[in-house]
Amino acid sequence: MRVGICTLELFISNSNSLKSKRQVLKSLKDRIRRSFNVSIAEVDGNDLWQKAVVGFSCVGNEKGFVNAVMDKVIDFIEKTPTVDIIDYKIEIL
């Protein structure tokens, strides 16, 4: 069994309040859950308007499968116009 863990630091440029930030993140998290069947949550930066740290994880039998899913999720987030990735870190256990 392999477990992939990814932490992403995101910048939400159009956010001017915590409410608008949460709307953007909720939409993004719901689309990722539906599309890729991963667990995802905001793990840091909860009180900042334009910054969020999001973590997601994936479990699979092979390292290649887990790595492919992680890459697809990151590509999906990169293509989202309302969110920019500042930094990310991937660990596969």
Short mmCIF file of all heavy atoms in Angstrom, two decimals, residues 1-8 54-60 62-63 65-71 74 88-93:
data_model
loop_
_atom_site.label_atom_id
_atom_site.label_comp_id
_atom_site.label_asym_id
_atom_site.label_seq_id
_atom_site.Cartn_x
_atom_site.Cartn_y
_atom_site.Cartn_z
N MET A 1 0.84 -1.18 0.00
CA MET A 1 0.00 0.00 0.00
C MET A 1 0.89 1.24 0.00
O MET A 1 1.86 1.33 0.74
CB MET A 1 -0.91 0.00 1.23
CG MET A 1 -1.78 1.23 1.31
SD MET A 1 -3.00 1.24 2.62
CE MET A 1 -2.00 1.41 4.04
N ARG A 2 0.52 2.19 -0.83
CA ARG A 2 1.22 3.47 -0.91
C ARG A 2 0.25 4.60 -0.56
O ARG A 2 -0.91 4.57 -0.95
CB ARG A 2 1.76 3.71 -2.32
CG ARG A 2 2.74 2.69 -2.79
CD ARG A 2 4.02 2.84 -2.04
NE ARG A 2 4.97 1.86 -2.53
CZ ARG A 2 6.16 1.68 -2.05
NH1 ARG A 2 6.56 2.42 -1.03
NH2 ARG A 2 6.96 0.78 -2.52
N VAL A 3 0.77 5.59 0.18
CA VAL A 3 -0.01 6.76 0.54
C VAL A 3 0.72 7.99 0.03
O VAL A 3 1.90 8.19 0.32
CB VAL A 3 -0.19 6.86 2.08
CG1 VAL A 3 -0.98 8.11 2.44
CG2 VAL A 3 -0.87 5.63 2.62
N GLY A 4 0.03 8.81 -0.74
CA GLY A 4 0.58 10.06 -1.22
C GLY A 4 -0.01 11.22 -0.46
O GLY A 4 -1.22 11.29 -0.25
N ILE A 5 0.86 12.13 -0.06
CA ILE A 5 0.44 13.32 0.69
C ILE A 5 1.01 14.55 -0.02
O ILE A 5 2.20 14.59 -0.32
CB ILE A 5 0.96 13.28 2.14
CG1 ILE A 5 0.48 12.02 2.84
CG2 ILE A 5 0.53 14.53 2.89
CD1 ILE A 5 1.20 11.74 4.13
N CYS A 6 0.17 15.52 -0.26
CA CYS A 6 0.62 16.75 -0.91
C CYS A 6 0.11 17.95 -0.13
O CYS A 6 -1.04 18.00 0.29
CB CYS A 6 0.10 16.82 -2.35
SG CYS A 6 0.66 18.28 -3.24
N THR A 7 1.00 18.91 0.07
CA THR A 7 0.66 20.17 0.71
C THR A 7 0.89 21.29 -0.30
O THR A 7 1.98 21.39 -0.87
CB THR A 7 1.52 20.41 1.96
OG1 THR A 7 1.41 19.28 2.81
CG2 THR A 7 1.08 21.65 2.69
N LEU A 8 -0.12 22.09 -0.54
CA LEU A 8 -0.05 23.18 -1.51
C LEU A 8 -0.26 24.52 -0.82
O LEU A 8 -1.19 24.67 -0.03
CB LEU A 8 -1.15 23.03 -2.56
CG LEU A 8 -1.08 21.83 -3.46
CD1 LEU A 8 -2.44 21.25 -3.64
CD2 LEU A 8 -0.50 22.24 -4.78
N VAL A 54 -3.47 24.00 1.53
CA VAL A 54 -4.40 22.90 1.33
C VAL A 54 -3.60 21.61 1.29
O VAL A 54 -2.52 21.56 0.69
CB VAL A 54 -5.17 23.09 0.01
CG1 VAL A 54 -6.06 21.90 -0.29
CG2 VAL A 54 -5.99 24.36 0.05
N GLY A 55 -4.12 20.58 1.93
CA GLY A 55 -3.49 19.27 1.89
C GLY A 55 -4.44 18.25 1.30
O GLY A 55 -5.64 18.31 1.52
N PHE A 56 -3.90 17.34 0.49
CA PHE A 56 -4.72 16.25 -0.01
C PHE A 56 -3.92 14.96 0.01
O PHE A 56 -2.69 14.97 0.04
CB PHE A 56 -5.30 16.55 -1.40
CG PHE A 56 -4.32 16.59 -2.52
CD1 PHE A 56 -4.03 15.44 -3.25
CD2 PHE A 56 -3.71 17.78 -2.89
CE1 PHE A 56 -3.14 15.49 -4.30
CE2 PHE A 56 -2.82 17.83 -3.94
CZ PHE A 56 -2.54 16.68 -4.65
N SER A 57 -4.64 13.85 0.04
CA SER A 57 -3.98 12.55 0.10
C SER A 57 -4.69 11.55 -0.80
O SER A 57 -5.86 11.69 -1.12
CB SER A 57 -3.94 12.02 1.54
OG SER A 57 -5.24 11.80 1.99
N CYS A 58 -3.91 10.54 -1.20
CA CYS A 58 -4.40 9.49 -2.09
C CYS A 58 -3.78 8.18 -1.64
O CYS A 58 -2.61 8.15 -1.25
CB CYS A 58 -3.99 9.82 -3.52
SG CYS A 58 -4.35 8.53 -4.71
N VAL A 59 -4.55 7.10 -1.70
CA VAL A 59 -4.06 5.78 -1.34
C VAL A 59 -4.20 4.87 -2.54
O VAL A 59 -5.20 4.90 -3.25
CB VAL A 59 -4.86 5.21 -0.15
CG1 VAL A 59 -4.41 3.80 0.19
CG2 VAL A 59 -4.75 6.11 1.06
N GLY A 60 -3.16 4.05 -2.77
CA GLY A 60 -3.20 3.10 -3.88
C GLY A 60 -2.23 1.96 -3.68
O GLY A 60 -1.45 1.93 -2.73
N GLU A 62 0.13 1.00 -6.02
CA GLU A 62 1.43 1.22 -6.65
C GLU A 62 1.84 2.69 -6.54
O GLU A 62 1.00 3.59 -6.60
CB GLU A 62 1.37 0.84 -8.13
CG GLU A 62 1.04 -0.62 -8.36
CD GLU A 62 0.87 -0.93 -9.84
OE1 GLU A 62 1.04 0.00 -10.67
OE2 GLU A 62 0.56 -2.08 -10.15
N LYS A 63 3.13 2.89 -6.42
CA LYS A 63 3.68 4.25 -6.33
C LYS A 63 3.37 5.05 -7.59
O LYS A 63 3.04 6.23 -7.52
CB LYS A 63 5.18 4.18 -6.10
CG LYS A 63 5.84 5.51 -5.93
CD LYS A 63 7.32 5.37 -5.68
CE LYS A 63 7.97 6.73 -5.56
NZ LYS A 63 9.40 6.63 -5.30
N PHE A 65 0.80 4.83 -9.65
CA PHE A 65 -0.60 5.26 -9.67
C PHE A 65 -0.80 6.46 -8.75
O PHE A 65 -1.43 7.45 -9.14
CB PHE A 65 -1.52 4.12 -9.24
CG PHE A 65 -2.93 4.55 -9.01
CD1 PHE A 65 -3.77 4.81 -10.07
CD2 PHE A 65 -3.42 4.73 -7.72
CE1 PHE A 65 -5.08 5.24 -9.85
CE2 PHE A 65 -4.70 5.15 -7.49
CZ PHE A 65 -5.54 5.41 -8.56
N VAL A 66 -0.28 6.37 -7.53
CA VAL A 66 -0.44 7.45 -6.56
C VAL A 66 0.22 8.73 -7.09
O VAL A 66 -0.37 9.81 -7.02
CB VAL A 66 0.14 7.05 -5.19
CG1 VAL A 66 0.16 8.22 -4.24
CG2 VAL A 66 -0.66 5.90 -4.59
N ASN A 67 1.40 8.60 -7.64
CA ASN A 67 2.11 9.76 -8.19
C ASN A 67 1.34 10.38 -9.36
O ASN A 67 1.26 11.61 -9.48
CB ASN A 67 3.51 9.35 -8.63
CG ASN A 67 4.43 10.53 -8.80
OD1 ASN A 67 4.24 11.56 -8.17
ND2 ASN A 67 5.43 10.37 -9.64
N ALA A 68 0.74 9.54 -10.22
CA ALA A 68 -0.04 10.06 -11.35
C ALA A 68 -1.26 10.83 -10.87
O ALA A 68 -1.58 11.90 -11.41
CB ALA A 68 -0.45 8.90 -12.25
N VAL A 69 -1.95 10.33 -9.86
CA VAL A 69 -3.12 11.02 -9.32
C VAL A 69 -2.71 12.37 -8.73
O VAL A 69 -3.36 13.39 -8.97
CB VAL A 69 -3.85 10.15 -8.27
CG1 VAL A 69 -4.93 10.96 -7.55
CG2 VAL A 69 -4.46 8.93 -8.93
N MET A 70 -1.61 12.37 -7.97
CA MET A 70 -1.13 13.62 -7.36
C MET A 70 -0.80 14.65 -8.45
O MET A 70 -1.18 15.82 -8.32
CB MET A 70 0.10 13.36 -6.50
CG MET A 70 -0.07 12.28 -5.46
SD MET A 70 -1.14 12.75 -4.14
CE MET A 70 0.03 13.33 -2.98
N ASP A 71 -0.13 14.21 -9.51
CA ASP A 71 0.21 15.13 -10.60
C ASP A 71 -1.03 15.67 -11.30
O ASP A 71 -1.09 16.85 -11.66
CB ASP A 71 1.11 14.42 -11.62
CG ASP A 71 2.51 14.17 -11.09
OD1 ASP A 71 2.92 14.83 -10.11
OD2 ASP A 71 3.21 13.31 -11.67
N ILE A 74 -2.60 18.40 -9.13
CA ILE A 74 -1.81 19.64 -9.20
C ILE A 74 -2.04 20.33 -10.54
O ILE A 74 -2.21 21.56 -10.59
CB ILE A 74 -0.32 19.34 -8.96
CG1 ILE A 74 -0.12 18.92 -7.50
CG2 ILE A 74 0.54 20.55 -9.29
CD1 ILE A 74 1.24 18.37 -7.19
N TYR A 88 4.50 23.74 -3.49
CA TYR A 88 3.89 22.47 -3.09
C TYR A 88 4.95 21.46 -2.74
O TYR A 88 6.10 21.58 -3.15
CB TYR A 88 2.94 21.93 -4.18
CG TYR A 88 3.61 21.47 -5.44
CD1 TYR A 88 4.02 20.14 -5.60
CD2 TYR A 88 3.81 22.36 -6.50
CE1 TYR A 88 4.62 19.72 -6.77
CE2 TYR A 88 4.40 21.94 -7.68
CZ TYR A 88 4.79 20.61 -7.81
OH TYR A 88 5.39 20.20 -8.97
N LYS A 89 4.53 20.48 -1.96
CA LYS A 89 5.43 19.42 -1.51
C LYS A 89 4.68 18.10 -1.58
O LYS A 89 3.54 18.00 -1.09
CB LYS A 89 5.87 19.69 -0.08
CG LYS A 89 6.80 18.64 0.49
CD LYS A 89 7.16 18.97 1.94
CE LYS A 89 8.00 17.87 2.52
NZ LYS A 89 8.28 18.08 3.94
N ILE A 90 5.31 17.10 -2.19
CA ILE A 90 4.70 15.78 -2.32
C ILE A 90 5.54 14.77 -1.55
O ILE A 90 6.76 14.77 -1.65
CB ILE A 90 4.61 15.34 -3.80
CG1 ILE A 90 3.68 16.24 -4.58
CG2 ILE A 90 4.16 13.89 -3.89
CD1 ILE A 90 3.59 15.90 -6.06
N GLU A 91 4.86 13.92 -0.80
CA GLU A 91 5.51 12.80 -0.11
C GLU A 91 4.73 11.53 -0.44
O GLU A 91 3.51 11.52 -0.41
CB GLU A 91 5.48 12.98 1.41
CG GLU A 91 6.32 14.13 1.92
CD GLU A 91 6.23 14.21 3.42
OE1 GLU A 91 6.59 13.22 4.09
OE2 GLU A 91 5.79 15.25 3.91
N ILE A 92 5.45 10.47 -0.76
CA ILE A 92 4.82 9.18 -0.99
C ILE A 92 5.41 8.20 0.00
O ILE A 92 6.63 7.99 0.04
CB ILE A 92 4.99 8.71 -2.44
CG1 ILE A 92 4.34 9.70 -3.39
CG2 ILE A 92 4.41 7.32 -2.62
CD1 ILE A 92 4.44 9.37 -4.85
N LEU A 93 4.57 7.64 0.82
CA LEU A 93 5.00 6.71 1.87
C LEU A 93 4.67 5.28 1.47
O LEU A 93 3.74 4.98 0.84
CB LEU A 93 4.29 7.04 3.19
CG LEU A 93 4.34 8.51 3.62
CD1 LEU A 93 3.45 8.71 4.82
CD2 LEU A 93 5.76 8.90 3.93
#
